Amino acid sequence: QVQLVESGGGLVQAGGSLRLSCAASGRTFSSYTMGWFRQAPGKEREFVAVISRSGDSTYYADSVKGRFTISRDNVKNTVNLQMNSLKPEDTAVYYCAQGHRWSLPSPSEADFGSWGQGTQVTVSS
């Protein structure tokens, strides 16, 4: 079974940047769509970004479009989330997820079968 391990979370001031990484075990990383979700305190987990198997297609939640960038390295088996211009409302636990495809108009948790443990991102005002 695949293991997904996130890293890179932390505390940052509003307007700052963080780069999250997710390392995946297994030899078939390039066969899977990869995504990032987040869950703020008292809220449901929500979609953030997704990237296709080859990396040539990406899709973002409107709330992060233009500020976050998802990328992947199919040699290193990693997927990254570069987060710029962070806002206090970006505070959440961020989860890496692996799946086969994503739904439109917005990817859902049901599209992804494997999940990491999450990494905390806190943005102070």
Side-chain angles (χ1 to χ4, degrees):
Q1 186 171 346
V2 67
Q3 278 194 317
L4 303 174
V5 180
E6 302 96 336
S7 61
L11 173 64
V12 64
Q13 288 188 332
S17 298
L18 279 176
R19 183 177 177 86
L20 304 183
S21 291
C22 173
S25 64
R27 302 179 180 178
T28 59
F29 179 75
S30 61
S31 299
Y32 294 95
T33 293
M34 299 298 298
W36 287 95
F37 285 72
R38 67 186 181 187
Q39 187 168 21
K43 295 187 176 181
E44 293 186 352
R45 190 152 56 181
E46 65 175 6
F47 164 72
V48 175
V50 65
I51 189 166
S52 63
R53 291 173 292 179
S54 64
D56 61 354
S57 181
T58 58
Y59 188 75
Y60 298 92
D62 287 343
S63 59
V64 307
K65 200 173 296 182
R67 299 187 299 122
F68 291 11
T69 302
I70 189 172
S71 62
R72 68 187 295 162
D73 186 328
N74 285 344
V75 173
K76 295 181 179 179
N77 284 10
T78 57
V79 59
N80 303 303
L81 186 68
Q82 178 66 42
M83 306 186 295
N84 299 328
S85 302
L86 283 161
K87 305 175 181 180
E89 51 264 43
D90 293 318
T91 295
V93 177
Y94 283 71
Y95 297 90
C96 172
Q98 186 179 75
H100 289 282
R101 63 183 63 84
W102 68 80
S103 305
L104 292 176
S106 181
S108 72
E109 292 185 61
D111 295 330
F112 297 87
S114 297
W115 294 82
Q117 293 297 310
T119 185
Q120 176 70 47
V121 171
T122 303
V123 184
S124 63
S125 57

